[in-house]
Amino acid sequence: MTRVPVTQVTAEPSAALHSYRQMVAIRQFETKVDVLYRQGRVRGPAHLGIGQEAVAVGAASVLRDGDYSIGTYRGHAHALARGAPPEAVLLELLGRAGGICHGKGGSMHIADVEHGYYGSYAIIGAHLPIATGLAWASRVRRDDRVTVCFFGDGTTNIGAFHEALNLAAVWDLPIVFVCENNHYMEYTSIADVIAVKQPAADRASAYGLASIVVDGNDVNAMAEVVGAAVRRARDGAGPSLVEADTYRMCGHSAADPATYRTKEEVAGWAERDPLLRQAEVLTASGVSAEELEAISVEIRAEIDAMAVRAFAAPAPEPATAWTDLWSDGSSQWRN
């Protein structure tokens, strides 16, 4: 099993500061969404990735324009890390005109093809075969693109996980599978329902893949490990399976109080918060605490102003309910 100790991973100061700013922006965005959900302004389920920002930011930092990424219903961070406009994502969550999916998709279906994010998928494991299809298309077209597919630890018990990995390995596809092991599949500890310690990495050998585990709360380690896997895929060496060890600091959804976890467990992981970890890296390189605090204040003000504008945005025109549908009219006869 390959592990990457934090002490072996370094980052250029400018890149480290950029990653920190991105993670702060995603954290502030998710925190605002949590508040708006509790106010009844965000309708439908909302699944937050507070505590998992380093996975999204580290992986996105090694992708090129034109590369594909695809994720689960906990996908706000992945869309934002690839460059999706945060205001358009917020408008989507509020069901307003100008939303990134025209106010039709909501929290679980964010997509931004322009920036390479090919969607969040609400059905567990359903997107892994789609990601494999994207990688197959890249191989057929020889377009030098790489697909990165994110999924949770619970997905490793879904048949589509095994089918997708098997096809990717057999066909040597340019794809990197990234398991965000936050230790809980909805409300159940993953350790209670699998026979191995690492839900993804311990199954990699079944498909001829290396067993790779990385600290998912270290953004620099994420960039190092996923970067190596992306280069391998782009060079024609086939797929990789990376398991990122992380933790969601909130419940499964914004409506979940997560009382099934102990206070001690949550407190222990809070000490490994990816923002705190990166702040330590930056202060050690000479960045002042005041500068880091100024970044947080600046971004919080931007998001507060963004929310005010979003509240004033109109609802989508009713006629748009009939746009972006299959041309064969199946939206009607299916129902």
Side-chain angles (χ1 to χ4, degrees):
M1 180 180 296
T2 302
R3 290 181 179 271
V4 179
V6 178
T7 54
Q8 292 184 6
V9 180
T10 59
E12 292 296 326
S14 59
L17 188 60
H18 179 69
S19 295
Y20 179 76
R21 175 178 282 274
Q22 278 191 299
M23 290 195 294
V24 170
I26 291 170
R27 174 70 60 87
Q28 296 284 6
F29 182 91
E30 295 277 69
T31 301
K32 174 61 73 174
V33 171
D34 191 31
V35 171
L36 297 179
Y37 180 88
R38 297 177 193 286
Q39 293 175 348
R41 294 178 181 269
V42 174
R43 305 297 178 86
H47 301 81
L48 307 177
I50 294 174
Q52 299 181 209
E53 296 88 354
V55 177
V57 172
S61 71
V62 299
L63 296 179
R64 298 177 182 172
D65 291 343
D67 285 339
Y68 305 118
S69 57
I70 189 168
T72 71
Y73 49 78
R74 202 180 307 280
H76 305 158
H78 294 294
L80 294 171
R82 286 304 307 273
E87 190 155 348
V89 176
L90 184 59
L91 286 166
E92 184 65 29
L93 301 184
L94 297 173
R96 304 300 176 92
I100 203 160
C101 296
H102 309 294
K104 300 177 180 181
S107 172
M108 295 197 294
H109 304 103
I110 299 298
D112 187 4
V113 171
E114 178 184 352
H115 291 95
Y117 186 63
Y118 274 66
S120 300
Y121 291 79
I123 298 175
I124 306 297
H127 64 297
L128 272 72
I130 296 173
T132 301
L134 287 170
W136 172 252
S138 294
R139 179 177 174 182
V140 170
R141 294 170 179 164
R142 300 181 182 179
D143 58 15
D144 201 36
R145 296 183 177 186
V146 173
T147 297
V148 177
C149 178
F150 302 93
F151 56 93
D153 44 278
T155 301
T156 62
N157 287 337
I158 299 294
F161 165 79
H162 302 279
E163 294 164 358
L165 259 72
N166 186 61
L167 283 178
V170 169
W171 293 340
D172 287 325
L173 299 184
I175 185 169
V176 180
F177 295 96
V178 179
C179 174
E180 298 184 79
N181 182 5
N182 63 24
H183 296 268
Y184 284 89
M185 41 183 299
E186 293 194 345
Y187 321 106
T188 303
S189 170
I190 188 65
D192 292 341
V193 295
I194 61 170
V196 292
K197 183 178 180 181
Q198 307 292 160
D202 285 345
R203 289 160 163 160
S205 61
Y207 305 102
L209 303 178
S211 181
I212 304 172
V213 179
V214 60
D215 185 345
N217 281 16
D218 183 336
V219 68
N220 305 311
M222 282 300 307
E224 182 83 7
V225 171
V226 176
V230 166
R231 289 191 297 273
R232 184 175 183 275
R234 208 181 304 278
D235 290 343
S240 296
L241 174 59
V242 175
E243 181 170 335
D245 189 37
T246 185
Y247 195 78
R248 55 170 165 82
M249 296 303 298
C250 47
H252 168 62
S253 72
D256 171 24
T259 54
Y260 43 84
R261 306 186 299 188
T262 67
K263 292 180 180 179
E264 292 76 15
E265 177 182 301
V266 175
W269 278 97
E271 295 177 357
R272 299 172 58 185
D273 186 308
L275 273 67
L276 294 179
R277 299 275 293 281
Q278 191 68 347
E280 291 174 358
V281 170
L282 291 166
T283 54
S285 68
V287 179
S288 69
E290 290 76 17
E291 185 176 351
L292 297 180
E293 177 61 22
I295 290 173
S296 295
V297 171
E298 174 194 343
I299 291 173
R300 187 179 301 114
E302 290 174 356
I303 291 177
D304 286 343
M306 183 191 308
V308 171
R309 293 192 298 271
F311 296 151
E317 290 291 332
T320 62
W322 300 105
T323 61
D324 303 313
L325 302 174
W326 291 106
S327 61
D328 64 1
S330 59
S331 62
Q332 298 179 54
W333 55 254
R334 282 179 183 171
N335 298 322

